[in-house]
Amino acid sequence: MTTLTKNPPARSAQRPARPGRLRRGVSRLGDLKIALLFIAPAMIGFVAFYLVPTLRGIYLSFTEYSILGEPEWIGIKNYTSIFADELFWNAMGVTVQYVGLNIGFQTVIALGLALLMHRVAKSTFIRGALLLPFLVANVIVALLWFWMLDYQLGIVNEVISSLGLPRIAFFGSEQWAIPTIAAVNVWRHMGYTALLIFAGLQSIPNHVYEVASLDGASPTRTFWSITTPLLRPVLALVLVVTVIGSFQVFDTVAVTTNGGPVNASRVIQMYIYQKAFGESDFGYASALSVILFLILALVAFVQMKFLKGNESDLD
């Protein structure tokens, strides 16, 4: 007679979760819900005002579309037309000219101001005063300088005339339009850029300068051998931000010259605006916007790659 024996129940391979672990898991889940609650407004705004318009703009760039009709799919026709568009290349040339002037002068002046704030001017009032032009709306700044530089009644031309020199059509001359617009925006943004660089200078340890002083390094040698290499990540960030902002210049041009005279100051953003709202060719304007986006992405990538903005000599 065969005897049947019952096998004892197999023990669980894992121990039951401890109450402490359960409480920590519940706590993390609750923190995640709270974090998502705080992030939700920003995410909704990003999706509604950035992601959806961007995707729709990319779609419209492959269509022929005016605000009075429905989009009609035409493939890459807008993009092929862009490369044969002389006005587009003129607008890109004008924009590059403006970016070169704006970035060159703004970075040099801002770096000088930052060094003065770091070593000479310790007053918070002076630092705040440098930021005041940036706090004024760009349209107001453009109007202010437009009146001051007016050919007939502007105070600057009055001073020039009193010195016996010929008046200058700052915004009405093909030669002076872009340099004048660049000078206006340099004046407005240099304080903000200087504060960004000043924050980077604050992160450099003082003992590095003390060692250089003990070794007999001159201020010029200290600047090129210590300050500039240690400031490279901040300078890379500043250059990326200012270059992207310079390529998107619009309001100063719209208020002062409206792209004239004879397209001498018609930057790429002004050209996009005129195509969309002046000629109601939103499909072509969307293609121009996509091209500009790709150019800015490439420029930012090249800058970060060559300037090594993600590396620091302090590590």
Side-chain angles (χ1 to χ4, degrees), residues 139-206:
V139 173
I140 297 176
V141 171
L143 282 173
L144 174 66
W145 281 100
F146 183 70
W147 293 331
M148 291 175 61
L149 299 174
D150 183 77
Y151 183 81
Q152 295 293 343
L153 304 175
I155 186 173
V156 175
N157 267 312
E158 289 293 332
V159 173
I160 293 175
S161 180
S162 67
L163 296 175
L165 300 174
R167 293 173 180 263
I168 300 174
F170 288 100
F171 293 108
S173 167
E174 295 182 35
Q175 178 185 1
W176 285 98
I178 282 297
T180 303
I181 293 171
V184 170
N185 284 328
V186 166
W187 177 83
R188 180 178 184 265
H189 293 93
M190 65 181 181
Y192 175 74
T193 307
L195 286 180
L196 291 178
I197 299 175
F198 174 74
L201 290 172
Q202 293 288 91
S203 65
I204 301 177
N206 288 327

Side-chain angles (χ1 to χ4, degrees), residues 18-45:
R18 297 179 181 177
R21 292 182 179 178
L22 289 176
R23 283 195 295 270
R24 285 196 295 271
V26 172
S27 176
R28 290 175 181 174
L29 183 60
D31 292 343
L32 177 61
K33 292 180 179 179
I34 294 174
L36 291 176
L37 182 64
F38 279 100
I39 294 173
M43 288 300 299
I44 293 172

Side-chain angles (χ1 to χ4, degrees), residues 35-211:
L36 291 176
L37 182 64
F38 279 100
I39 294 173
M43 288 300 299
I44 293 172
F46 172 78
V47 172
F49 298 108
Y50 286 92
L51 184 60
V52 172
T54 299
L55 295 177
R56 178 168 172 77
I58 294 173
Y59 164 71
L60 291 178
S61 70
F62 295 98
T63 67
E64 183 177 347
Y65 173 59
S66 68
I67 199 170
L68 300 177
E70 293 295 326
E72 179 183 350
W73 184 267
I74 59 173
I76 62 171
K77 184 178 178 180
N78 285 328
Y79 291 96
T80 56
S81 299
I82 287 175
F83 291 101
D85 187 352
E86 294 182 1
L87 292 178
F88 165 75
W89 293 110
N90 175 77
M92 285 303 303
V94 171
T95 304
V96 170
Q97 179 188 358
Y98 166 80
V99 171
L101 291 172
N102 185 47
I103 297 304
F105 285 102
Q106 184 181 155
T107 304
V108 172
I109 295 174
L111 181 59
L113 291 174
L115 291 172
L116 289 175
M117 286 192 292
H118 184 61
R119 298 186 179 182
V120 180
K122 304 291 185 179
S123 172
T124 306
F125 173 78
I126 295 178
R127 298 171 188 172
L130 287 175
L131 194 60
L132 282 178
F134 182 76
L135 300 179
V136 181
N138 213 10
V139 173
I140 297 176
V141 171
L143 282 173
L144 174 66
W145 281 100
F146 183 70
W147 293 331
M148 291 175 61
L149 299 174
D150 183 77
Y151 183 81
Q152 295 293 343
L153 304 175
I155 186 173
V156 175
N157 267 312
E158 289 293 332
V159 173
I160 293 175
S161 180
S162 67
L163 296 175
L165 300 174
R167 293 173 180 263
I168 300 174
F170 288 100
F171 293 108
S173 167
E174 295 182 35
Q175 178 185 1
W176 285 98
I178 282 297
T180 303
I181 293 171
V184 170
N185 284 328
V186 166
W187 177 83
R188 180 178 184 265
H189 293 93
M190 65 181 181
Y192 175 74
T193 307
L195 286 180
L196 291 178
I197 299 175
F198 174 74
L201 290 172
Q202 293 288 91
S203 65
I204 301 177
N206 288 327
H207 67 80
V208 178
Y209 292 108
E210 294 173 359
V211 172

Side-chain angles (χ1 to χ4, degrees), residues 79 82-83 88-89 91-93 95-96 99 240 243-244 246-248 268-269 272 287-303:
Y79 291 96
I82 287 175
F83 291 101
F88 165 75
W89 293 110
M92 285 303 303
T95 304
V96 170
V99 171
V240 169
V243 166
I244 291 176
S246 297
F247 267 97
Q248 295 176 330
I268 186 64
Q269 285 280 32
I272 294 172
L288 290 170
S289 300
V290 173
I291 293 294
L292 178 60
F293 170 78
L294 294 176
I295 291 174
L296 292 180
L298 178 62
V299 169
F301 173 78
V302 171
Q303 283 182 300

